[in-house]
Structure formats: C-alpha cells, structure tokens
Amino acid sequence: MSSYLEGKAAVVTGAGGGIGRAIALALAAEGAKVVVNDLGGGLDGSGASNAPADAVVEEIAEAGGTAVANYDDVSRFDAAGRIIQTSVDAFGGIDILVNNAGISRPGWFYEMEEEDFDAVVNVHLKGTFNCSRHACGPMMERRWGRIVNISSGAGIIGSVERVSYAAAKAGIFGMTNTMSRDLGPFGITVNAVCPGPTDTRMLQNSIRRAKEAEARGDPSSALAGSGLLRVRPYDPEDLAPLVAHLCTEAAGNVNGQVFHSSGSEFGWFQPLHVARAIYTNGRWSQDELAHIMPRSLTRGLQNPAPPA
Ligand code: NAD
C-alpha cells in the first residue's frame, strides 16, 4: 500500500465487479476510504443483490483498507443522494467520485424499444449527473474534489447494436467538459476515462453475441467482423492506476480531459477540432458543393457501413 490518497473519501459506483471493483481496490490501496456502491443486478439492469458490493468491501478490508457498501441505484436522483450521503456519514465527506456503473441492452437501432434506450441512458448518463450533482456540494465546500467519469470509445466512433450506450457515453463527454468548467473554479477536476476492451461480464456478453453472429454466418451482421473476436481483452486492474492518478494531488491541474487505456498503454484524446475547411464569399450553391466537396471536405472519407 502507498499513500497517494491518504485521508480521502471516495465513492465508486458499480464497484461490485469488473472495472469498478478494480478501481475501488486501487483507490483503497492508495489510502482512500471507499464507498463501494453496486445495485448488484444483471447486465441488463434487472434485479438487485447486496452480495457484489459486500464482497468487494470484504476484499478491501482483507487488504488492510477501509470501505463500506451501498446498494442504491445511480439512475434515481434520490437514491444517488443516499450514495453520496453514505460517504459523508461514514467518512465525514466526499473527495473523490468515480462514475462507473453501467448496464448493456444491445440491439439493432431499427428494433430498439424506447424502454431499453431509456434504461441504458438513465444508468450511464443520468447516473453520472445524479451522483455528481449530489457530490459537488460537499466538494465545493472543501474546495477540493476529483470526479472521474468512465466513458467509452463507443461515444466517439460509435458502435454496432448499441445506440443507447454510444449516445450515453457521448453525452458523458459533453457533461465532463461542461462540469469541468463549472466546477474547476472550486478546485474540483472532472475528467473522463475510456477503457479499451476489458475482461468483464459486459465485454464477455459482447463477445458471445459476436460469436453467435459469426456462427449464424449472418453476412449482414457487422458484429461478426467487428474485431471483437480477435482482441485479447485487458484486465480491469490495468486501467485502475490511471483513474487513481487522476484523483491525486499531482493531477490537480488536469481538468476537462479525456483519456484512454489499452491495458497498460494510457493515451490522451485531443479535443475534437475542425480538420479541414472550405470557404466562400456569400453562400455555397449546390452546384459548387457538388464539385468541390468530393475534392476537399469529403475526400477519402470512408463509409463505416456501406450498403450490404
Ligand atoms: P460490469 O457489468 O462488470 O460492471 C458494471 C457494474 O455496475 C455492475 O457491478 C453492476 O451491478 C453495476 N450497476 C449497474 N447498474 C447500476 C445502477 N443502476 N446502480 C449502481 N450500480 C449499477 O461492466 P464493466 O465492463 O466493468 O463496466 C464498467 C464501466 O466501464 C461501464 O460504465 C462500462 O460502460 C465501461 N466500459 C467497459 C468496457 C469494457 O470493455 N468492459 C469498455 C469501455 C467502457
């Protein structure tokens, strides 16, 4: 155990398994006292159980750290308040929040039910708002805070069969950028981390679906060719040090940034910028655009899903 986070109080949502568990263990190993939040439901968000959060609390205690469990649902605003209050009651405040909880309800866009779209957005995007909104007051009082939002490359380049997930993760980038500006003056940093393919039940489910698509020999299924079957997933423990570092004093000036982890390779995303531009005096006509666009702005661009 080292002590980069000695004396800090942390909340990690969805910390009963997968990536959240590894982050909770890493924060505790640096001396933070950790609220291990987890609803304990299925991958699709159904059901609930105290067992996953309890098990991680026990693991942290066995390793010599301090943790308490919370089983509330991040997607409900009042319940998110209880998650943060658990830290205030047990540890006297909150310094660190990692918004990690997530669910998955994959399916083709043209078949997706409203209820499934809402459920995913409510956990990932609304859950990030809910917990951060409750945590920022106590952090602002201390004029110190660290919020790390777990997003995904799916929010940048899109994904197959996961429109709700990609939309929620893209929303988290906008929320991260804006929260970092609103909260920065109070000594609070807000950053996002995008894990590469990481060996958790969420990824295993995607791999299973890709295998099924391949076995069906379904040529229209882009999933079969998505590369998922060729990757060697990373361990959740690989990216946890990056999240822990963003919570330390040393990262105090790192705010509003997006990072990526591919195992032990960590990367920083340059903010989206205009890569090409064309200009005219007045307004473009369709004739002009038909001529110039393929030679300038849209030159060489690839269609990620051309007609089958
Ligand atoms: P996981 O299913 O193992 O972990 C998610 C955890 O969140 C579960 O323990 C679950 O019980 C909990 N949870 C779900 N809904 C909740 C709710 N409403 N309230 C509280 N807890 C809830 O999956 P994971 O892969 O560890 O995912 C963690 C995060 O990492 C997610 O945000 C996911 O989108 C993101 N991510 C994962 C990968 C990957 O390859 N595994 C890649 C990019 C991003």
Side-chain angles (χ1 to χ4, degrees):
M1 281 218 331
S2 48
S3 55
Y4 278 89
L5 300 173
E6 197 62 53
K8 301 296 185 196
V11 169
V12 184
T13 69
I19 291 170
R21 169 185 162 275
I23 293 170
L25 286 162
L27 299 184
E30 293 302 334
K33 298 171 180 140
V34 182
V35 175
V36 176
N37 156 264
D38 207 291
L39 183 63
L43 183 59
D44 64 356
S46 60
S49 163
N50 295 357
D54 286 342
V56 175
V57 166
E58 213 172 291
E59 264 188 278
I60 290 174
E62 274 167 15
T66 305
V68 296
N70 169 281
Y71 321 108
D72 278 298
D73 178 351
V74 298
S75 71
R76 293 184 40 233
F77 189 71
D78 53 347
R82 288 196 295 273
I83 298 173
I84 304 305
Q85 193 59 41
T86 302
S87 179
V88 173
D89 292 344
F91 308 136
I94 172 164
D95 303 292
I96 294 165
L97 168 64
V98 181
N99 288 302
N100 164 82
I103 64 170
S104 179
R105 294 192 184 185
W108 294 112
F109 175 73
Y110 44 81
E111 291 172 352
M112 184 157 291
E113 302 292 343
E114 181 188 8
E115 172 194 339
D116 293 327
F117 182 87
D118 287 349
V120 171
V121 170
N122 283 341
V123 174
H124 289 271
L125 185 60
K126 183 89 185 300
T128 297
F129 168 78
N130 289 342
C131 294
S132 305
R133 178 64 186 83
H134 284 290
C136 71
M139 286 179 179
M140 285 163 72
E141 274 172 32
R142 291 185 170 185
R143 297 192 85 77
W144 201 97
R146 299 282 185 268
I147 298 176
V148 181
N149 298 324
I150 304 301
S151 189
S152 167
I156 298 172
I157 59 166
S159 185
V160 175
E161 288 195 307
R162 295 197 300 167
V163 67
S164 51
Y165 183 82
K169 292 307 199 187
I172 287 173
F173 294 130
M175 208 185 280
T176 301
N177 290 334
T178 304
M179 283 167 55
S180 69
R181 283 155 180 75
D182 286 353
L183 299 177
F186 298 93
I188 301 167
T189 66
V190 188
N191 294 290
V193 169
C194 302
T198 307
D199 196 6
T200 66
R201 68 175 185 176
M202 192 178 282
L203 184 78
Q204 287 304 334
N205 186 56
S206 300
I207 290 174
R208 181 185 57 76
R209 289 175 65 85
K211 278 185 181 155
E212 284 168 6
E214 193 175 59
R216 276 199 310 273
D218 179 0
S220 72
S221 173
L223 257 185
S226 70
L228 263 185
L229 297 177
R230 291 185 293 279
V231 300
R232 190 189 68 78
Y234 307 114
D235 293 329
E237 289 74 17
D238 292 335
L239 77 98
L242 172 61
V243 176
H245 169 75
L246 292 172
C247 298
T248 63
E249 210 62 65
N253 199 38
V254 182
N255 191 22
Q257 307 300 325
V258 180
F259 296 90
H260 183 264
S261 87
S262 301
S264 50
E265 179 191 296
F266 299 153
W268 168 75
F269 279 106
Q270 204 166 28
L272 280 181
H273 64 282
V274 176
R276 298 174 186 169
I278 57 173
Y279 173 80
T280 186
N281 272 325
R283 298 216 168 95
W284 291 102
S285 73
Q286 281 307 316
D287 280 347
E288 288 170 326
L289 289 177
H291 177 75
I292 200 169
M293 287 287 277
R295 292 169 177 76
S296 54
L297 291 194
T298 60
R299 176 174 39 89
L301 299 186
Q302 291 198 346
N303 178 350

